[in-house]
Amino acid sequence: MRNTGAALVLAALLSAAQAQILIGQTAGFSGAVASGVQETTEGAKLYLDAVNGRGGVHGQKVELVSLDDKFDPQLSVANARKLIEEQNVSALFLTRGTPHTEAIIPLLDKHGVALVGPSTGAMVLHKPVRKNVFNVRATYQREAEKAISHLVSMGITRIAVVQADDSFGADGMVGAQKGLEAAKLKAVLQEKFDRSKPDFAPIAPKIVQSQAQAVLMIASGTAVAEGYAAFRAAGSGAQMVTLSNNASAGFAKSLGANARGVIVTQVFPNERAMNFPLVREAQDLAKAQGKEISPAMLEGYAAAKVLVEGLRRAGPKPSRDRIQAALEGLQKFDLGGLEISYSPEDHTGLDFADLSIIGTDGKFRR
């Protein structure tokens, strides 16, 4: 009887273990982009926890296995390999960083694993179409172009661009260049810096000497905060602008006294725009936990909705290939006031882009 009882307990444990869908994530939970990564993941968990609380997807709970890659592309690859080959995750989710996401694509293709909602707007993930990458947010190029056109509409013509010397910086610069060309302008200064070892001492005096009225900074997290501080300390009063990869409450806090008036592009509606069901849902779930929604959290929340819908359509046994096929067949799926569609020829997702400004209270205003 003892053996029978043990066997029943073991069977129950095995059944419980099988009744979950493992989703893998590698992102910089520590390092330069930690605050943004933590907020996007927190937003995703708001939705995943709600889904699991209702019984999961086809009776299976969705479990997010998150590994810290410290914003290091090499560690991103090591983590992705561990998640895919050792932990046998069904899909990957919410990676962070352009070179980091690019680096894991060979693993996605080798194993047929879908990546949903990479938290990067790199054009290289959109064109040519990456079979296993399903973007949710708009591209950095679209954001940078919109930022430049907005500055021009304010009467600003002397614009400097400072970019990280990596694929993300180069990608955002293409969009900035489109905006400048449309306005028949040239950047008064274009500078690059080492992403791994940012040093703004040589750049700051050049910003002042260029008499830039605005500085668009295509970089991430703490590097942007450090750059802005250096430019201000050197005597620049230029309007500061950055992209949505920095649209987190943590980033606004890291700016300190320099936060007020900084323009940050956004790829989702205002987190207080209650006319969007997506925002209402996220706000309600956050309030129930005593939390406040940030733009970064809203991005994670939206990405989780796409992931869960793909899992739901993949059926009771969501294999990697079924998940890929289900996502690729997603047409006019309503996220809550925003529609998303994919096809074999298009994995772009949303094309929404907007602008915000950080207020005196450290919050983003539209």
Side-chain angles (χ1 to χ4, degrees):
M1 289 296 290
R2 285 181 184 175
N3 289 342
T4 303
L8 288 171
V9 170
L10 180 61
L13 288 172
L14 286 171
S15 175
Q18 290 167 353
Q20 58 186 217
I21 304 166
L22 292 184
I23 303 298
Q25 178 191 20
T26 174
F29 285 90
S30 62
V33 298
S35 62
V37 165
Q38 289 160 9
E39 286 177 39
T40 52
T41 304
E42 190 176 7
K45 284 182 176 178
L46 276 179
Y47 187 71
L48 295 178
D49 288 349
V51 168
N52 287 336
R54 296 193 295 267
V57 180
H58 298 296
Q60 302 171 87
K61 293 196 173 182
V62 182
E63 181 182 340
L64 184 61
V65 182
S66 301
L67 300 180
D68 182 11
D69 60 31
K70 303 177 183 178
F71 206 47
D72 179 342
Q74 289 185 326
L75 195 48
S76 300
V77 174
N79 284 351
R81 182 173 286 110
K82 181 177 181 181
L83 290 164
I84 292 170
E85 297 179 356
E86 295 178 24
Q87 302 205 27
N88 200 34
V89 298
S90 297
L92 288 187
F93 181 62
L94 274 189
T95 53
R96 179 62 182 264
T98 300
H100 314 69
T101 304
E102 280 185 273
I104 71 170
I105 288 175
L107 278 170
L108 302 179
D109 294 342
K110 177 182 178 182
H111 297 282
V113 175
L115 165 61
V116 180
S119 189
T120 164
M123 187 61 76
V124 72
L125 302 179
H126 294 255
K127 293 181 181 179
V129 174
R130 304 288 187 169
K131 178 178 171 62
N132 294 300
V133 177
F134 293 88
N135 300 286
V136 176
R137 63 184 328 280
T139 66
Y140 289 137
Q141 290 189 20
R142 171 80 188 275
E143 293 181 57
E145 186 175 1
K146 189 174 184 70
I148 295 293
S149 65
H150 176 71
L151 292 173
V152 173
S153 74
M154 293 167 62
I156 292 174
T157 56
R158 299 187 63 80
I159 302 170
V161 183
V162 178
Q163 65 185 88
D165 191 8
D166 61 10
S167 53
F168 163 50
D171 186 64
M173 187 62 210
V174 172
Q177 200 61 49
K178 286 180 184 175
L180 288 165
E181 289 173 0
K184 296 181 171 55
L185 295 173
K186 288 186 178 181
V188 294
L189 181 72
Q190 184 182 342
E191 289 286 326
K192 298 179 181 179
F193 67 90
D194 185 341
R195 177 178 62 82
S196 59
K197 295 178 181 178
D199 180 10
F200 299 102
I203 300 175
K206 294 181 183 178
I207 294 288
V208 177
Q209 290 161 15
S210 72
Q211 298 183 327
Q213 297 167 288
V215 179
L216 170 61
M217 206 162 172
I218 306 168
S220 299
T222 54
V224 178
E226 290 169 12
Y228 283 179
F231 305 157
R232 288 286 184 255
S236 174
Q239 170 68 60
M240 299 296 176
V241 189
T242 191
L243 303 185
S244 68
N245 59 308
N246 297 312
S248 70
F251 169 72
K253 189 175 180 180
S254 74
L255 291 169
N258 296 319
R260 182 186 176 188
V262 171
I263 292 174
V264 183
T265 56
Q266 301 285 358
V267 289
F268 285 93
N270 188 332
E271 60 278 15
R272 289 173 290 280
M274 303 301 276
N275 55 313
F276 282 89
L278 171 72
V279 176
R280 279 203 308 275
E281 291 171 22
Q283 287 281 17
D284 288 346
L285 289 173
K287 284 178 183 176
Q289 297 183 20
K291 297 175 181 175
E292 203 169 322
I293 286 289
S294 70
M297 287 176 70
L298 198 57
E299 177 178 348
Y301 187 87
K305 292 196 79 169
V306 174
L307 170 69
V308 168
E309 184 63 14
L311 295 175
R312 188 184 70 77
R313 295 187 185 207
K317 295 181 179 179
S319 61
R320 290 170 173 177
D321 59 335
R322 285 184 178 179
I323 293 170
Q324 198 281 340
L327 286 164
E328 203 159 70
L330 206 61
Q331 286 289 312
K332 294 186 176 180
F333 173 58
D334 184 11
L335 282 171
L338 296 172
E339 274 190 355
I340 196 164
S341 296
Y342 299 118
S343 73
E345 296 78 33
D346 185 3
H347 287 190
T348 283
L350 300 175
D351 195 34
F352 183 94
D354 198 2
L355 295 165
S356 67
I357 191 166
I358 301 176
T360 53
D361 57 359
K363 294 182 180 179
F364 298 93
R365 305 294 178 190
R366 303 287 174 113

